[in-house]
Amino acid sequence: MASVTKFTQGAVFNQLRHNLRQIAHSGNPDIDPARLRQDYVLSPDRGMSDYDYFQERLSQLYVYGRNDVKVMAGWVVTAPQDLEQEQYDDFFLAVYDFLENRYGEENVVQAVVHDDEGGQPHLHFCFVPVVEDKKHEEGYKVCANDVLDRRELRNFHPDLQRYLDEHGLEDAHVMTGVTRAQGGNRTVAELKSEREQEYEQETERPELDFGKPKVEQELHF
């Protein structure tokens, strides 16, 4: 349903351009140029490019001086297979609100819905992972590992599902890949138990190389 990727500063510029389809010869063969007009932006217009805003926000925070520091994170949230098409816009708006509230409006770098590919439409939500840090005069620092820790990854889907349910989107089943056509959803307790087992297995595996730049780290669940 959702995956999160962490980016070093060297990868941010191209990732933001890719999300906005500003790269002339994208390596993604699934993009249909005839459907580009179906993509749309949910993040606020701040009167500057997304990358400029990213740099501005970063300048307000303490950042460790290493090239491998993950200074941006990006969730990709896909519309459930069994969600009615007329509910897509409401779904993505609710997901955006959930993520903005969770990570802070000031930390949102970019949010783009893609509906120009062969599969389900999906939201790219990029943000600066920020935590409080009283050791430095800025008061806050960038730390993706603290923001996207085990608790956060374990609770993400249940919390999102609860938010959707509370906002009238009970048919948007984000906690399982099992659609109604495949027999319906499992209970919340079952899903939480399965998620915990999956995460334990993921943390025990060595980091895999899927052919992406080494500056990125991606977690799927």
Side-chain angles (χ1 to χ4, degrees):
M1 177 59 215
S3 64
V4 64
T5 307
K6 303 172 186 178
F7 301 92
T8 64
Q9 190 157 358
V12 169
F13 182 69
N14 280 339
Q15 181 62 37
L16 297 177
R17 291 181 66 228
H18 169 76
N19 291 345
L20 290 176
R21 302 307 195 221
Q22 293 175 340
I23 297 178
H25 302 287
S26 173
N28 186 348
D30 295 327
I31 297 174
D32 181 356
R35 298 173 58 186
L36 287 176
R37 292 185 179 181
Q38 297 175 199
D39 295 352
Y40 57 95
V41 175
L42 289 177
S43 45
D45 181 359
R46 298 187 172 100
M48 64 181 75
S49 72
D50 295 337
Y51 186 70
D52 286 343
Y53 180 76
F54 162 77
Q55 290 183 305
E56 178 180 287
R57 180 59 179 141
L58 216 61
S59 70
Q60 301 165 355
L61 306 164
Y62 179 81
V63 184
Y64 292 107
R66 303 194 315 268
N67 291 333
D68 62 343
V69 174
K70 306 299 191 297
V71 293
M72 189 179 80
W75 280 104
V76 178
V77 182
T78 303
Q81 291 279 353
D82 54 359
L83 186 66
E84 299 295 336
Q85 188 171 351
E86 56 267 25
Q87 292 184 288
Y88 285 171
D89 289 348
D90 290 339
F91 170 77
F92 288 122
L93 183 58
V95 172
Y96 174 82
D97 289 342
F98 168 80
L99 293 169
E100 181 188 68
N101 291 332
R102 199 171 185 89
Y103 300 116
E105 180 183 3
E106 69 278 12
N107 298 320
V108 178
V109 176
Q110 184 186 77
V112 182
V113 174
H114 285 170
D115 191 16
D116 60 1
E117 300 178 38
Q120 288 290 97
H122 51 273
L123 168 67
H124 287 265
F125 181 92
C126 297
F127 67 101
V128 179
V130 177
V131 294
E132 189 173 1
D133 181 19
K134 297 180 180 179
K135 294 181 180 179
H136 303 98
E137 66 176 282
E138 292 88 350
Y140 293 88
K141 69 177 180 180
V142 176
C143 187
N145 287 340
D146 285 355
V147 175
L148 297 168
D149 60 9
R150 294 180 62 178
R151 178 182 295 274
E152 171 66 1
L153 298 181
R154 183 173 61 245
N155 293 336
F156 181 85
H157 278 90
D159 290 349
L160 175 56
Q161 186 67 67
R162 189 178 304 111
Y163 188 88
L164 294 171
D165 291 347
E166 292 172 352
H167 290 79
L169 287 163
E170 299 90 347
D171 290 336
H173 302 123
V174 300
M175 287 187 61
T176 174
V178 179
T179 65
R180 284 193 292 266
Q182 296 171 313
N185 286 284
R186 294 178 288 279
T187 66
V188 172
E190 289 171 337
L191 291 166
K192 286 184 177 180
S193 176
E194 290 174 11
R195 179 64 200 105
E196 289 176 1
Q197 293 176 11
E198 291 170 2
Y199 188 74
E200 289 292 336
Q201 294 172 359
E202 290 169 2
T203 56
E204 293 173 359
R205 299 171 187 166
E207 185 169 331
L208 301 179
D209 180 4
F210 293 99
K212 294 190 177 183
K214 63 181 179 180
V215 291
E216 301 180 8
Q217 179 181 352
E218 188 170 7
L219 302 172
H220 293 278
F221 58 97

